Amino acid sequence: MSRVFLIWAITHSVKEVQSEDSVLLFLIAWTVTEIIRYSFYTFSLLNHLPYIIKWARYTLFIVLYPMGVSGELLTIYAALPFVRQASLYSISLPNKYNFSFDYYAFLILIMISYIPLFPQLYLHMIHQRRKVLSHPEEHKKYE
């Protein structure tokens, strides 16, 4: 969901951020992650998982997760002034639905949500890495 959100609700909607280096940062992280992830799934389905693919799946996230999250957060941050100025996707009162929505505040809440969520996901992957890669005899049967 975060990828759809970043691509459509930020990068597509706020044209001014499309040339930011942070967009390139998260796109590179996502691309490398997906190449590794789908290679892992493909080789697993074929019952021939090379250890290097398994190792890459459970090791390269150490760099790729922080890289992707940094790019995402920096991109949202770069979009904030443009969102505020244009009142993008915001709904003001009064209106017939008696409802208001401030997209600028919503983006700040999204950014703040990374504080509890990112460490939890990252530590989960560290745990998975330990669990999966701690059995060296396991990888011999796939080689």
Side-chain angles (χ1 to χ4, degrees):
M1 187 64 190
S2 73
R3 293 182 181 190
V4 172
F5 174 76
L6 256 294
I7 294 299
W8 180 80
I10 302 296
T11 311
H12 173 74
S13 299
V14 184
K15 306 281 188 231
E16 293 85 356
V17 301
Q18 291 178 2
S19 61
E20 293 285 328
D21 292 338
S22 57
V23 173
L24 186 60
L25 191 64
F26 76 71
L27 286 176
I28 289 170
W30 290 358
T31 301
V32 174
T33 299
E34 293 308 314
I35 290 169
I36 294 166
R37 179 180 297 151
Y38 286 106
S39 296
F40 178 86
Y41 292 153
T42 301
F43 284 113
S44 293
L45 286 171
L46 296 172
N47 291 320
H48 183 71
L49 179 62
Y51 183 74
I52 189 72
I53 300 292
K54 183 178 176 181
W55 177 87
R57 169 91 166 112
Y58 290 100
T59 302
L60 294 181
F61 79 89
I62 293 168
V63 173
L64 294 172
Y65 272 25
M67 183 175 151
V69 165
S70 297
E72 292 170 19
L73 288 172
L74 289 168
T75 301
I76 295 170
Y77 183 75
L80 287 175
F82 302 104
V83 168
R84 177 174 255 173
Q85 180 185 15
S87 295
L88 185 67
Y89 303 133
S90 296
I91 302 168
S92 299
L93 286 172
N95 59 53
K96 68 180 181 177
Y97 301 109
N98 200 27
F99 171 81
S100 69
F101 176 74
D102 185 358
Y103 189 57
Y104 178 84
F106 176 74
L107 291 180
I108 291 172
L109 288 174
I110 292 290
M111 292 174 70
I112 291 169
S113 76
Y114 276 72
I115 295 168
L117 295 176
F118 174 72
Q120 186 177 354
L121 293 171
Y122 195 75
L123 291 173
H124 172 73
M125 284 303 292
I126 294 286
H127 175 73
Q128 289 297 105
R129 181 180 192 277
R130 249 187 247 123
K131 188 171 124 181
V132 171
L133 297 181
S134 67
H135 307 291
E137 67 280 352
E138 275 289 307
H139 81 270
K140 289 180 182 169
K141 69 181 178 186
Y142 294 110
E143 293 180 337

